[in-house]
């Protein structure tokens, strides 16, 4: 629709307030104050839209199919809640079996290279997945962290052998934790790594597939007959904002956004429409003072660091209070943030002082 595309273009051009007002005029901003009621309303709209049909062109002629819809949320807590609600609704109407199978999936901990190099960070039980061979471990292999011994991390391979991993191999693997999820025939799954089926056909990272069942040896049998072997997956009903980049659907339903870029990405996913759900429509439409994710130059960052340092005590006190209300181990997080900010600012001031002396 032309008006929807115009609203998205305003967001793309950086005219956030105008784009939000255009979306509101289209009825694309829904206010529901209570969180649980808001998520339930979002699921209702998602399921209703998912039941709609469209006609598509195929090489065998025209075909009628259901519309492709997605839900987007800024936090994994909201994604988990949306997933639980939608799967419960689908079980109620018989589209999912009441009792599925328990599947042990892998959730990426998203550790940086520096964190992976720090062998003391491992507590045992973490799963390392190698994306290139190293330390006697093959590409694609999963190993389990056992213990730290003489500065090296001992990991156990599938055949029971134990090998040692050092920080020098940190660029060769990612770190995961195991998470049990229920899988039912008919479930939508989102792959979180590239996969190849038994015939060599590829499925891209981020692909959403429909499950037919789980084989005795733990492989996933898909509705189209293919079988794949991976534990890097999650339910595919709701996705984070950064996870929908490059994804296109017919209608998108969004629980909230945390940045201007996230707003644009979420708003531009639908071919037909997008709907945002908010506890306060007036605040949402009034631009929300969203942060920007645009990168700064080193000089801009240095200047801003010195400026922020002057006001650091009061702002960091406020930040700490905010963190204490919503983060695990907030004091450690805040202390680390303060320490790193102070060290960075000190380096900046020292470097600029040297430069001024040269002049």
């Amino acid at each position: 629709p032309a008006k929807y595309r115009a609203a998205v273009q305003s967001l793309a051009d950086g005219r956030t307030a105008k784009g939000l007002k255009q979306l509101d005029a289209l009825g694309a901003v829904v206010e529901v104050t209570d969180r649980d009621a808001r998520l339930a309303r979002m699921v209702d709209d998602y399921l209703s839209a998912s039941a709609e049909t469209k006609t598509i062109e195929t090489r065998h002629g025209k075909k009628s199919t259901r519309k492709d819809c997605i839900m987007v949320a800024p936090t994994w807590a909201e994604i988990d809640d949306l997933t639980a609600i939608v799967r419960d609704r689908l079980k109620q109407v018989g589209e999912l079996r009441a009792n599925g199978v328990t599947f042990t999936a892998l959730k990426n901990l998203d550790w940086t290279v520096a964190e992976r190099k720090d062998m003391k960070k491992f507590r045992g039980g973490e799963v390392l997945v190698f994306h290139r061979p190293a330390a006697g471990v093959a590409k694609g292999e999963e190993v389990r962290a056992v213990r730290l011994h003489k500065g090296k991390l001992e990991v156990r391979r599938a055949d029971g052998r134990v090998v040692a991993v050092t920080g020098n191999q940190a660029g060769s693997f990612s770190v995961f934790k195991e998470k049990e999820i229920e899988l039912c025939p008919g479930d939508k799954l989102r792959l979180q790594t590239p996969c190849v089926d038994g015939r060599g056909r590829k499925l891209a990272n981020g692909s959403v597939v429909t499950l037919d069942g789980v084989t005795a040896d733990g492989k996933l049998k898909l509705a189209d007959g293919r079988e794949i072997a991976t534990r890097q997956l999650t339910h595919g009903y709701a996705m984070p904002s950064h996870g929908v980049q490059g994804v296109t659907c017919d209608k998108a339903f969004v629980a909230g956004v945390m940045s201007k870029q996230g707003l644009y990405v979420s708003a531009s996913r639908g071919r037909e429409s997008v709907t945002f759900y908010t506890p306060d429509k007036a605040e949402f439409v009034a631009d929300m003072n969203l942060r920007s994710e645009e990168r700064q130059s080193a000089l801009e960052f240095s200047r801003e660091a010195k400026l922020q340092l002057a006001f650091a005590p009061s702002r960091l006190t406020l930040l700490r209070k905010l963190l204490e209300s919503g983060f695990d181990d907030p004091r450690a997080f805040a202390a680390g943030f303060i320490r790193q900010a102070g060290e960075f600012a000190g380096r900046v001031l020292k470097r600029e002082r040297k430069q001024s002396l040269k002049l």
Side-chain angles (χ1 to χ4, degrees), residues 2 21 50 59 61 63 91 108 155 163 166 256 299:
K21 289 177 181 178
S50 297
R59 59 182 178 178
K63 176 185 176 181
K91 288 181 179 182
N108 198 327
V155 300
V163 297
T166 70
L299 181 58

Short mmCIF file of all heavy atoms in Angstrom, two decimals, residues 2 21 50 59 61 63 91 108 155 163 166 256 299:
data_model
loop_
_atom_site.label_atom_id
_atom_site.label_comp_id
_atom_site.label_asym_id
_atom_site.label_seq_id
_atom_site.Cartn_x
_atom_site.Cartn_y
_atom_site.Cartn_z
N ALA A 2 0.45 2.25 -0.75
CA ALA A 2 1.26 3.45 -0.94
C ALA A 2 1.50 4.20 0.38
O ALA A 2 2.60 4.68 0.64
CB ALA A 2 0.60 4.36 -1.96
N LYS A 21 3.85 9.13 12.97
CA LYS A 21 2.51 9.73 12.82
C LYS A 21 1.79 9.14 11.62
O LYS A 21 0.58 8.91 11.64
CB LYS A 21 2.64 11.25 12.69
CG LYS A 21 3.05 11.93 13.99
CD LYS A 21 3.23 13.44 13.81
CE LYS A 21 3.67 14.09 15.11
NZ LYS A 21 3.90 15.55 14.96
N SER A 50 -2.29 -14.85 9.99
CA SER A 50 -1.65 -16.06 9.47
C SER A 50 -2.67 -17.01 8.83
O SER A 50 -2.29 -17.87 8.03
CB SER A 50 -0.91 -16.79 10.59
OG SER A 50 0.13 -15.99 11.11
N ARG A 59 5.74 -22.19 -10.98
CA ARG A 59 6.01 -22.70 -12.32
C ARG A 59 4.92 -23.65 -12.81
O ARG A 59 4.85 -23.99 -13.98
CB ARG A 59 7.37 -23.41 -12.36
CG ARG A 59 7.49 -24.58 -11.41
CD ARG A 59 8.89 -25.17 -11.52
NE ARG A 59 9.06 -26.28 -10.58
CZ ARG A 59 10.18 -27.00 -10.51
NH1 ARG A 59 11.21 -26.69 -11.31
NH2 ARG A 59 10.28 -28.00 -9.66
N GLY A 61 1.74 -22.81 -12.22
CA GLY A 61 0.55 -21.97 -12.28
C GLY A 61 0.26 -21.29 -10.94
O GLY A 61 1.11 -21.28 -10.04
N LYS A 63 -1.24 -20.57 -7.24
CA LYS A 63 -1.44 -21.42 -6.07
C LYS A 63 -1.90 -20.57 -4.89
O LYS A 63 -1.40 -19.46 -4.68
CB LYS A 63 -0.14 -22.14 -5.72
CG LYS A 63 -0.20 -22.99 -4.46
CD LYS A 63 1.17 -23.56 -4.13
CE LYS A 63 1.15 -24.34 -2.83
NZ LYS A 63 2.49 -24.87 -2.49
N LYS A 91 -2.27 -25.29 20.11
CA LYS A 91 -2.65 -26.59 20.69
C LYS A 91 -4.15 -26.64 20.93
O LYS A 91 -4.79 -27.69 20.73
CB LYS A 91 -1.89 -26.81 21.99
CG LYS A 91 -0.40 -27.12 21.81
CD LYS A 91 0.28 -27.36 23.15
CE LYS A 91 1.75 -27.69 22.97
NZ LYS A 91 2.43 -27.97 24.26
N ASN A 108 23.11 -19.64 21.73
CA ASN A 108 24.40 -18.95 21.65
C ASN A 108 24.53 -17.93 22.77
O ASN A 108 23.64 -17.09 22.98
CB ASN A 108 24.52 -18.25 20.29
CG ASN A 108 25.96 -17.90 19.94
OD1 ASN A 108 26.76 -17.59 20.82
ND2 ASN A 108 26.28 -17.93 18.67
N VAL A 155 38.10 -30.15 27.09
CA VAL A 155 36.76 -30.36 26.54
C VAL A 155 36.63 -31.82 26.13
O VAL A 155 37.61 -32.47 25.74
CB VAL A 155 36.49 -29.44 25.32
CG1 VAL A 155 36.59 -27.97 25.73
CG2 VAL A 155 37.45 -29.74 24.18
N VAL A 163 40.34 -33.28 24.93
CA VAL A 163 41.42 -32.49 24.32
C VAL A 163 41.45 -31.12 25.01
O VAL A 163 40.49 -30.72 25.66
CB VAL A 163 41.22 -32.32 22.80
CG1 VAL A 163 41.27 -33.67 22.09
CG2 VAL A 163 39.89 -31.61 22.51
N THR A 166 42.99 -23.71 24.08
CA THR A 166 43.59 -22.52 24.66
C THR A 166 42.93 -21.27 24.08
O THR A 166 42.15 -21.35 23.12
CB THR A 166 45.10 -22.45 24.37
OG1 THR A 166 45.29 -22.20 22.97
CG2 THR A 166 45.78 -23.76 24.74
N GLY A 256 7.73 -3.89 20.33
CA GLY A 256 8.42 -2.69 20.78
C GLY A 256 9.78 -2.60 20.14
O GLY A 256 10.28 -3.58 19.59
N LEU A 299 37.44 10.33 16.69
CA LEU A 299 37.52 11.68 17.24
C LEU A 299 36.22 12.07 17.92
O LEU A 299 36.22 12.61 19.03
CB LEU A 299 37.85 12.69 16.13
CG LEU A 299 37.99 14.16 16.57
CD1 LEU A 299 39.10 14.27 17.62
CD2 LEU A 299 38.29 15.05 15.37
#
